[in-house]
Amino acid sequence: MHHATDPAPAAGPSKDHTGGLLGETVNRPRVDLPRLDTKRRQTLLNLLNALNELSQAESLGRDFDQNPSFEDDRDVPTVDEQLQVAGAEAFNKFQKRINSLDKELRNFGNAARQLGSSVGILSSAFRLRERLAQVLFLFRDNAADLFPRKISRQQREFLVNPNLMNRKRNARRRKSMPGRVPVNTEDNLDLEGLSEQFENFAADLMTFLKCLNDFPEFTDEAVNTLIQSFEGDLKYWACCLQDYRGQFKYPAVQRYVHDLMAEMGEHIDSITGTLSMFIEVGVPTIRFAQKHDAADLLTLSTVATFFSAVTATTLQFSYSQTGDMLSDAVNAFWFSSLVFSIAAAVNSLLGLSWKQAMYRSPGDRVPWWVLTWIKRSPLVFLVMSVTCFSAGLVLFTYSTQQGKVTSTITTVFTAFTSFGLAAVSAWFASEKWTFVHHRGTKWLSDVLKDALQCLMALRLVSIVRKSFVWGLRYVQKGVEFAGHKFRRVSSMGTITTSAIEQGDSLTAGDYAHTTSRSPEPLSPLSPIRQSTDSYSHFSAEGFLHPNLESPSTTFSSTSNSSITPRDRLTSAIRSVMMLQSTTSSPSNPFSPVRKRTTSSVFTDVSRMMPETGVTRTCRGSKVASLIPKLKSLEITQDLAAHSALVRHLQFSPNGKFLATSSWDRTSIIFRVGDPCVPHRVLAYASGFIGQVVWSPVGVLLLTRLNRAIKVWTEDGVCRKTIERHQYVQSITWLPGGEAFLSVEGSEVVKLDLNGNVLDTYRFNRVFIHDVAITHDLQRLLCVGPILYSPKGLHPSKSRVEKQLLVYNIQTKVIENQTPILNDVRDIMLAKNGQVALVSYENKAFPQLWKLEMVKDQARLTLRHTYMPRVLVDFAGPSYFGGKDDQLVLCAGKAGDIHIWDRDSAVLLHHVRAQALGGDLTCIAWNHASDNPFMFATGSHDGAVRLWTTANDYRPCESSRRLFAVTAPSTPYSATPRSPSPVDNGTQTDSAGTQLGEYTSEPLTLSPVEDSDQRDRIVTFAHTRG
């Protein structure tokens, strides 16, 4: 050992964690630091600082490489913290849903114990709870493989709830049986058997539903619909998962299984809610109905018992009288009545016990004669007992030589009650027949009305009816005429008598004054006035009789003589005032009031998020230098290219041209420069241009229509129009540019430039959306949804399964299929041919998949999931960018642009929607421009914007001008169209003319000979002033 004061040991040279020497001075003799000169000290300090920075940079780079989410070569998933948290939250949410459904099933079992014939529903609920525990166990194992830092595995001994079944008693019973080996079903639980678990789950659900429908007292259509929908999706998933046997340890399949939790959770939530409502409403209804039936049987048993006692008592008076026919008949009827009453009582008690039995079989499992005997025999026996007793009672009055009055009365009353009993029994039977015959569409009363109408439609009945109606009308008219005469005579006598009684108080002057004036019509009075002023009310009644002319005059003169003109004027004014007060309409205080509302202000939450995390993480790494360059990206040119939505755009491989397509039925080829000017406008008479694709060498351009593909040159000459019989989903070039692929439904067709079919690749059950071909022309990478499961099943409510396929062109066999649940859009292969970028619809994140060779077969394994800071509704396909495709770009519909590092999945730059100011539809990178960076975006308003890095590419002010050229219609266009969105500028192809030269001269249109005369091009010819 060395002392602290000894010189440093001369052992091997010390090394840092990088493997490099810390310094060569360690082997030298110890030298005092004060003796070192200043220059050497400074050199040593600089060397130490450089080594320290180098070690920090390497450690940061190592952390940076380990931070993102990707899978290693053995397909063991190592995800980052964000994906770990998101996956754990999804599983915890699913676990809560399973626990909620288990709780409702437990509550349902406790409530159903009070019901008769509940053993079936209880056992099915227990099995369903057990199946839920097993499914949750499998999903937990799957989540623990994907997210080991957040989800822990569950012990198998805690798998099954001991409250579900008494497993110990069953185990002891199985052990006691000789030659039987106990089987532990929990040991067989594995992800490879997930499809069988789903099938058993579906069977348990249908058993539960069937037992639930065994209660005819209450039927919930919502429960039936939801369970049947869930059962259909379970069978669909089970059938689809059978294609991935032996691959359930692959992370891609595990992620698909993990995504199924969300689909299954929606079904579980729906069933949980409806089952809770069934417990609150259905179980009390069933219990009430069963109690009502039990009370009916109990009442029937009581009546039958009482009636048997009455029959036995009356039988004591007749059993000793024998020898004649009447006495024997009486005893026969009464003995029969006693037997039927006893049978009715006993069968009622038997039916009561059967209905309240917990372990009785459901109604559909019992023979029909047993159900008929239990349900119908008590009432039938009681009716027969009453009938026999009544017949014996009538005969007993005659056999005992009772009086004629007693015998007659007994016979009449017995016949009357027997008729009522027979009529009611016939009504009950007719109701049952009506329901069965008309299937519940008509009641017995409706049937009787229809029969009555048919009877009245007979000719004889119709004549009798019309005669009766005519006679009834004649009698009614006579009665009305007599009543009218009587009311007229009585009213005349009353008015004349009252006038005579009041005549003594009239003076001669008042009489002459009154009779000399003509009657004035009275103003209509309000109801209040009519009720308070008796005089005005009586006068109005006097003027309302048209037949009383002379009496009314006498009455008016005599009645008005005691009223002065002042009083009459006052009364008239009051009447008018009351009339105005009652007829005036006050303003409605509850009239609608228009209120002003303010629109909500959009707040960009992501703007407030700090960006120092990415910068701090990437500092010292190989991509840290890209961040300042990406942050300097800005819009350098804003081109008013189209008048409608920009569907697709792409730069040529040499970067000289930019092709765009729009829903305004035009495609434009721009010449990239400062400024970017239109080179050619490709117009179409009909159809929308969905895609533009440059050839690998950049001399040809393909444009995709619905059922056609056009081949153009970079100068805008249409070389060929290839018509297709099916809808074309996508097109892509072969690496050599000698042919291309056309995606048409479940087929991928290989075509040459003349439209000849070179080969066809068929995918039976998959509807292909997009395809990419490897550089060695050996394999196709396809994406799309499946049309149906291997057994022909379709999902009921969940999303359709989608697949990523690796297809061998030589053998024409699918080598690998990877299930996904999100709506996949397209796939793009990187330059190195080893990774593919997969884009999805809506808010699903883009993903990077690696193409690997395993035992001479290729397969896709997930490398990265590119996650934005906030949820974004993505627009158009994602795109590779940067040198050697080191970047991944994606545009959002709201205007967001995200740029990630391809190899680390770290978000390098985020352009917010408010800074952009427009909805985006597509994005494309210029691979020929590495310095400066350049990409283009299309928007809904038809604008195309070019983005470049400002530090290397600073456009002048003239480059921000808008170009719009109006292309007038030509004889080649079939339909009138809107003006082409390119300005009145012209550009020449000659080398002597500078790009971007403007003139006010009109455009010169030169038609081009082509097989399809509907198409036209706009040529920008140079004109000199």
Side-chain angles (χ1 to χ4, degrees):
M1 296 180 63
H2 299 278
H3 298 284
T5 58
D6 292 340
S14 300
K15 297 182 179 181
D16 61 356
H17 64 279
T18 62
L21 297 177
L22 291 175
E24 298 179 356
T25 58
V26 292
N27 294 328
R28 297 178 181 179
R30 181 178 178 183
V31 181
D32 295 338
L33 290 178
R35 296 182 181 181
L36 297 177
D37 56 355
T38 307
K39 185 176 181 180
R40 294 182 60 189
R41 182 186 303 175
Q42 188 66 29
T43 303
L44 184 60
L45 290 177
N46 293 338
L47 178 61
L48 293 176
N49 292 335
L51 290 175
N52 187 22
E53 292 180 359
L54 180 61
S55 62
Q56 291 181 359
E58 184 174 348
S59 62
L60 285 175
R62 183 169 58 252
D63 296 338
F64 177 78
D65 293 335
Q66 295 179 355
N67 186 33
S69 59
F70 65 91
E71 301 167 354
D72 57 12
D73 295 336
R74 295 181 301 170
D75 281 343
V76 179
T78 57
V79 295
D80 60 357
E81 188 68 21
Q82 188 176 7
L83 289 177
Q84 290 268 342
V85 173
E89 289 178 353
F91 174 76
N92 293 332
K93 185 178 181 180
F94 177 74
Q95 185 178 13
K96 291 180 180 179
R97 289 172 166 175
I98 291 287
N99 293 335
S100 299
L101 181 57
D102 182 78
K103 179 181 178 182
E104 292 299 330
L105 288 173
R106 185 170 62 250
N107 295 336
F108 179 79
N110 296 331
R113 291 180 184 274
Q114 306 175 11
L115 304 178
S117 183
S118 60
V119 63
I121 193 67
L122 290 178
S123 61
S124 62
F126 289 156
R127 287 194 297 270
L128 190 57
R129 293 181 61 196
E130 185 178 9
R131 189 68 60 188
L132 285 174
Q134 295 175 3
V135 170
L136 180 61
F137 177 81
L138 293 179
F139 276 113
R140 176 182 285 275
D141 270 4
N142 182 74
D145 290 339
L146 290 173
F147 318 108
R149 298 199 301 269
K150 298 297 181 180
I151 304 297
S152 60
R153 297 184 182 273
Q154 183 182 7
Q155 299 295 331
R156 290 183 179 270
E157 52 267 20
F158 299 104
L159 173 61
V160 179
N161 190 345
N163 295 326
L164 294 180
M165 291 292 181
N166 192 352
R167 293 183 171 272
K168 294 183 179 180
R169 183 177 61 185
N170 296 337
R172 288 195 299 267
R173 186 177 301 172
R174 288 193 297 266
K175 289 180 180 180
S176 62
M177 299 177 63
R180 182 180 178 89
V181 179
V183 179
N184 191 358
T185 58
E186 288 78 19
D187 294 339
N188 299 327
L189 287 179
D190 189 72
L191 278 176
E192 293 293 338
L194 186 61
S195 59
E196 287 79 6
Q197 285 290 335
F198 281 172
E199 290 180 352
N200 296 332
F201 194 5
D204 293 340
L205 276 174
M206 294 309 297
T207 302
F208 177 78
L209 179 61
K210 189 173 183 180
C211 295
L212 200 64
N213 291 331
D214 286 336
F215 295 99
E217 297 85 0
F218 184 82
T219 302
D220 193 349
E221 295 295 335
V223 176
N224 295 345
T225 303
L226 292 176
I227 291 181
Q228 290 175 0
S229 175
F230 194 14
E231 183 253 352
D233 284 343
L234 284 173
K235 288 185 176 180
Y236 176 78
W237 296 331
C239 187
C240 292
L241 287 176
Q242 291 178 0
D243 291 340
Y244 310 107
R245 290 188 178 275
Q247 304 179 22
F248 281 92
K249 290 302 180 180
Y250 294 168
V253 180
Q254 288 180 339
R255 282 182 174 84
Y256 173 71
V257 173
H258 182 75
D259 292 338
L260 287 180
M261 291 192 306
E263 302 292 323
M264 189 179 297
E266 295 180 0
H267 285 286
I268 291 176
D269 282 344
S270 302
I271 294 177
T272 302
T274 54
L275 193 60
S276 176
M277 293 297 298
F278 189 90
I279 295 174
E280 295 179 1
V281 179
V283 173
T285 303
I286 297 173
R287 188 185 303 117
F288 174 79
Q290 290 184 352
K291 286 184 177 180
H292 185 268
D293 294 342
D296 292 343
L297 289 175
L298 185 61
T299 303
L300 190 62
S301 175
T302 303
V303 172
T305 303
F306 176 76
F307 197 77
S308 63
V310 172
T311 304
T313 302
T314 55
L315 191 60
Q316 296 178 1
F317 298 98
S318 64
Y319 77 96
S320 59
Q321 297 179 5
T322 58
D324 55 347
M325 185 180 296
L326 289 178
S327 300
D328 294 340
V330 169
N331 290 329
F333 277 115
W334 280 359
F335 274 109
S336 300
S337 175
L338 181 61
V339 172
F340 285 135
S341 62
I342 293 174
V346 174
N347 285 320
S348 298
L349 294 177
L350 180 63
L352 179 62
S353 301
W354 183 80
K355 281 186 173 296
Q356 293 180 347
M358 178 180 177
Y359 296 95
R360 69 177 174 91
S361 302
D364 58 343
R365 305 295 179 89
V366 181
W368 65 270
W369 60 271
V370 176
L371 288 177
T372 303
W373 183 269
I374 293 176
K375 294 182 178 180
R376 307 300 180 191
S377 62
L379 183 60
V380 173
F381 288 160
L382 183 59
V383 171
M384 294 176 64
S385 176
V386 172
T387 302
C388 292
F389 182 81
S390 300
L393 184 62
V394 172
L395 294 178
F396 182 74
T397 57
Y398 290 100
S399 64
T400 56
Q401 302 296 326
Q402 298 292 330
K404 292 182 178 181
V405 176
T406 302
S407 301
T408 303
I409 293 176
T410 303
T411 302
V412 171
F413 286 171
T414 302
F416 178 75
T417 55
S418 299
F419 175 77
L421 181 62
V424 173
S425 301
W427 181 271
F428 287 165
S430 301
E431 284 184 335
K432 182 64 176 297
W433 176 86
T434 302
F435 179 80
V436 174
H437 184 71
H438 295 281
R439 298 181 181 180
T441 58
K442 288 185 178 181
W443 297 100
L444 180 58
S445 59
D446 300 331
V447 175
L448 294 178
K449 289 181 180 179
D450 295 341
L452 183 59
Q453 291 178 359
C454 294
L455 180 63
M456 297 300 293
L458 297 177
R459 185 174 182 83
L460 180 60
V461 178
S462 178
I463 294 175
V464 174
R465 180 186 177 187
K466 290 181 179 180
S467 302
F468 178 76
V469 172
W470 180 81
L472 185 61
R473 289 180 179 176
Y474 182 77
V475 173
Q476 185 179 1
K477 288 182 179 180
V479 172
E480 289 179 355
F481 180 76
H484 179 69
K485 289 292 186 181
F486 177 76
R487 286 195 300 271
R488 180 180 179 184
V489 173
S490 60
S491 60
M492 290 177 61
T494 304
I495 296 175
T496 306
T497 305
S498 61
I500 294 174
E501 290 177 354
Q502 296 179 3
D504 297 338
S505 60
L506 296 176
T507 59
D510 294 337
Y511 179 80
H513 174 72
T514 304
T515 54
S516 61
R517 297 180 58 184
S518 61
E520 297 178 351
L522 297 180
S523 302
L525 302 181
S526 65
I528 301 177
R529 184 62 179 172
Q530 292 180 5
S531 62
T532 55
D533 196 348
S534 60
Y535 169 74
S536 300
H537 179 71
F538 187 77
S539 301
E541 288 182 354
F543 279 104
L544 285 178
H545 290 282
N547 298 328
L548 303 179
E549 298 177 356
S550 58
S552 63
T553 306
T554 307
F555 171 72
S556 300
S557 61
T558 56
S559 59
N560 293 337
S561 60
S562 59
I563 305 300
T564 61
R566 184 188 182 102
D567 294 337
R568 293 183 62 187
L569 180 60
T570 303
S571 177
I573 293 175
R574 289 179 179 177
S575 300
V576 173
M577 293 176 62
M578 293 296 295
L579 180 63
Q580 291 180 353
S581 62
T582 55
T583 57
S584 60
S585 58
S587 60
N588 187 8
F590 303 101
S591 59
V593 180
R594 185 183 301 272
K595 297 182 179 180
R596 296 187 60 184
T597 59
T598 58
S599 59
S600 59
V601 180
F602 174 75
T603 304
D604 190 1
V605 183
S606 62
R607 178 179 289 274
M608 299 181 293
M609 297 180 60
E611 296 186 2
T612 58
V614 176
T615 306
R616 183 167 53 250
T617 305
C618 298
R619 185 181 296 118
S621 65
K622 60 181 180 180
V623 296
S625 59
L626 295 178
I627 296 179
K629 192 173 183 179
L630 294 175
K631 288 183 178 296
S632 64
L633 283 169
E634 63 178 2
I635 301 177
T636 55
Q637 297 190 54
D638 193 348
L639 309 175
H642 297 277
S643 60
L645 179 144
V646 179
R647 185 65 182 87
H648 191 253
L649 47 83
Q650 188 182 45
F651 285 94
S652 60
N654 54 16
K656 295 181 180 180
F657 299 102
L658 170 64
T660 64
S661 65
S662 172
W663 283 1
D664 63 358
R665 299 177 180 176
T666 60
S667 294
I668 300 179
I669 300 177
F670 289 93
R671 186 181 295 274
V672 178
D674 184 13
C676 185
V677 294
H679 176 60
R680 293 291 185 271
V681 176
L682 315 179
Y684 301 82
S686 61
F688 296 110
I689 304 94
Q691 187 180 3
V692 289
V693 183
W694 287 98
S695 63
V697 295
V699 295
L700 295 178
L701 177 69
L702 294 180
T703 58
R704 174 178 63 86
L705 286 80
N706 293 338
R707 295 180 181 270
I709 302 171
K710 291 184 175 296
V711 183
W712 303 83
T713 64
E714 62 182 6
D715 293 330
V717 178
C718 182
R719 291 184 51 180
K720 187 66 176 179
T721 298
I722 304 173
E723 299 289 343
R724 302 303 300 164
H725 300 291
Q726 296 184 1
Y727 186 87
V728 181
Q729 295 287 336
S730 176
I731 51 177
T732 184
W733 283 95
L734 268 64
E738 69 280 2
F740 60 92
L741 300 175
S742 174
V743 179
E744 302 172 3
S746 297
E747 296 181 352
V748 176
V749 183
K750 183 179 179 181
L751 302 170
D752 61 7
L753 297 180
N754 294 322
N756 300 320
V757 177
L758 303 179
D759 204 348
T760 301
Y761 313 105
R762 292 179 174 83
F763 304 85
N764 297 326
R765 297 187 300 107
V766 183
F767 188 84
I768 305 299
H769 281 176
D770 195 16
V771 65
I773 186 169
T774 57
H775 299 327
D776 56 0
L777 303 179
Q778 295 295 319
R779 289 171 178 83
L780 298 178
L781 307 182
C782 309
V783 295
I786 64 174
L787 300 176
Y788 48 86
S789 69
K791 296 182 180 179
L793 301 178
H794 298 273
S796 301
K797 184 180 177 181
S798 67
R799 291 178 288 178
V800 178
E801 178 185 321
K802 292 84 180 176
Q803 290 183 350
L804 306 180
L805 303 178
V806 180
Y807 183 84
N808 193 313
I809 297 178
Q810 301 297 329
T811 61
K812 293 188 176 182
V813 175
I814 297 177
E815 293 184 345
N816 179 257
Q817 51 187 1
T818 303
I820 52 178
L821 204 57
N822 294 320
D823 297 328
V824 65
R825 172 178 294 153
D826 55 17
I827 185 170
M828 181 180 183
L829 198 62
K831 292 180 181 179
N832 57 12
Q834 298 179 0
V835 292
L837 183 62
V838 179
S839 304
Y840 301 92
E841 295 280 353
N842 302 326
K843 298 182 180 181
F845 308 137
Q847 293 178 336
L848 186 72
W849 295 76
K850 182 180 180 182
L851 184 64
E852 297 179 339
M853 296 299 298
V854 180
K855 296 180 181 180
D856 296 333
Q857 288 189 351
R859 70 176 184 182
L860 289 172
T861 57
L862 182 63
R863 301 290 293 179
H864 298 294
T865 299
Y866 301 103
M867 302 182 65
R869 294 182 178 177
V870 294
L871 290 178
V872 177
D873 196 359
F874 294 104
S878 305
Y879 222 91
F880 282 122
K883 185 179 181 181
D884 298 328
D885 292 342
Q886 61 180 339
L887 302 176
V888 173
L889 290 83
C890 195
K893 292 182 180 180
D896 298 85
I897 299 177
H898 294 79
I899 304 177
W900 293 274
D901 178 58
R902 189 194 69 184
D903 297 331
S904 61
V906 174
L907 182 61
L908 302 179
H909 185 46
H910 174 209
V911 180
R912 294 175 177 83
Q914 287 185 353
L916 182 59
D919 297 336
L920 299 184
T921 57
C922 52
I923 191 171
W925 185 274
N926 189 355
H927 291 279
S929 177
D930 292 336
N931 192 11
F933 287 160
M934 178 185 295
F935 66 89
T937 58
S939 58
H940 281 83
D941 57 1
V944 175
R945 297 177 176 89
L946 265 65
W947 297 68
T948 56
T949 50
N951 55 348
D952 296 323
Y953 184 82
R954 295 185 179 276
C956 58
E957 293 298 328
S958 62
S959 64
R960 298 180 181 271
R961 289 179 292 182
L962 300 181
F963 301 92
V965 176
T966 303
S969 57
T970 63
Y972 302 104
S973 57
T975 56
R977 53 184 301 276
S978 59
S980 182
V982 196
D983 198 329
N984 287 333
T986 60
Q987 185 260 335
T988 180
D989 295 335
S990 61
T993 307
Q994 186 179 359
L995 295 178
E997 184 176 345
Y998 297 94
T999 178
S1000 59
E1001 297 295 332
L1003 292 174
T1004 302
L1005 304 181
S1006 58
V1008 178
E1009 296 294 334
D1010 188 16
S1011 60
D1012 190 356
Q1013 295 298 329
R1014 297 173 303 171
D1015 302 324
R1016 59 187 174 85
I1017 64 171
V1018 180
T1019 305
F1020 296 86
H1022 176 64
T1023 57
R1024 299 188 180 273

